Amino acid sequence: MLSKTIQDALNNQIKIEAESSQIYLAMACWAEVKGLEGVAGFMYAQSDEEREHMLKLVKFVNERGGHAKVSALKEPDVTFESFKDMFELLLKHEMFVSQSINELVHITLQEKDYATHNFLQWYVSEQIEEEAVARNILDKINLIGDDKGGLYLFDRDIESLTVSTAAAPNLGGA
């Protein structure tokens, strides 16, 4: 059974994950109308992934005897100065999500809710990966600079981008 404190904190995280999905969806739309089909595809996939994160939380809350809430969402930005600006905002948002997950983990320890604490470890690892991907993309964008050919190749290749992180299972695998 979830305490009210844990349930409220998880419902807040559900809202954050839903807003994350909307942010990525808005970015996908912007990129698509700018002719950045690869970036758009990447963002659509990220939007779907964030929705899956939200649903995982919803199901957990309900399965633990709580009641997951579907809340009104804050409207995301729908225009960006540049694709670099968009990815800088993406990194900033992922850092915010990481901070929120860390606070949620802290609350579970204060409440001595070890089942929820254990459940949230997946989100902790996922956020390490999300931030690493965003930083990797920004590194590539900085390498490209104003080179249109580089932008073309980046847009073509972004959908296949993978990043290995220290949080990944089987790192250095056997």
Side-chain angles (χ1 to χ4, degrees):
M1 192 74 176
L2 296 173
S3 71
K4 180 173 176 7
T5 302
I6 296 288
Q7 179 177 287
D8 290 347
L10 287 168
N11 276 320
N12 183 59
Q13 192 62 40
I14 288 168
K15 181 178 179 183
I16 289 170
E17 297 296 337
E19 287 176 346
S20 296
S21 179
Q22 294 292 91
I23 288 167
Y24 278 115
L25 185 59
M27 290 177 172
C29 291
W30 181 86
E32 194 164 47
V33 299
K34 297 293 183 184
L36 299 168
E37 292 176 19
V39 172
F42 173 83
M43 292 298 185
Y44 282 129
Q46 290 299 115
S47 177
D48 288 346
E49 184 177 301
E50 296 300 328
R51 185 172 186 281
E52 288 174 15
H53 297 172
M54 176 199 66
L55 289 174
K56 189 173 180 171
L57 284 164
V58 165
K59 289 176 184 272
F60 179 80
V61 169
N62 291 338
E63 288 170 0
R64 293 287 319 279
H67 184 197
K69 293 184 182 172
V70 178
S71 305
L73 303 178
K74 184 173 59 174
E75 183 178 350
D77 292 332
V78 295
T79 59
F80 306 94
E81 294 293 318
S82 66
F83 81 108
K84 180 180 179 180
D85 178 55
M86 183 178 70
F87 280 103
E88 286 172 345
L89 288 171
L90 181 146
L91 174 59
K92 183 177 175 186
H93 179 73
E94 289 298 346
M95 291 168 64
F96 163 76
V97 173
S98 294
Q99 185 178 23
S100 178
I101 294 289
N102 288 339
E103 180 57 30
L104 188 49
V105 168
H106 179 70
I107 291 168
T108 64
L109 291 174
Q110 287 179 322
E111 293 280 313
K112 297 183 180 179
D113 183 343
Y114 302 111
T116 302
H117 179 269
N118 185 55
F119 170 77
L120 291 172
Q121 295 313 300
W122 180 86
Y123 286 88
V124 172
S125 295
E126 180 68 13
Q127 281 310 119
I128 292 169
E129 179 185 327
E130 297 285 356
E131 285 187 35
V133 167
R135 284 187 179 94
N136 184 276
I137 288 170
L138 280 171
D139 288 346
K140 290 180 184 336
I141 291 169
N142 287 327
L143 285 171
I144 293 167
D146 294 328
D147 179 19
K148 298 289 185 194
L151 174 57
Y152 173 81
L153 294 174
F154 172 81
D155 184 56
R156 185 192 70 189
D157 295 343
I158 188 171
E159 287 186 277
S160 63
L161 179 74
T162 58
V163 176
S164 294
T165 68
N170 299 326
L171 184 65

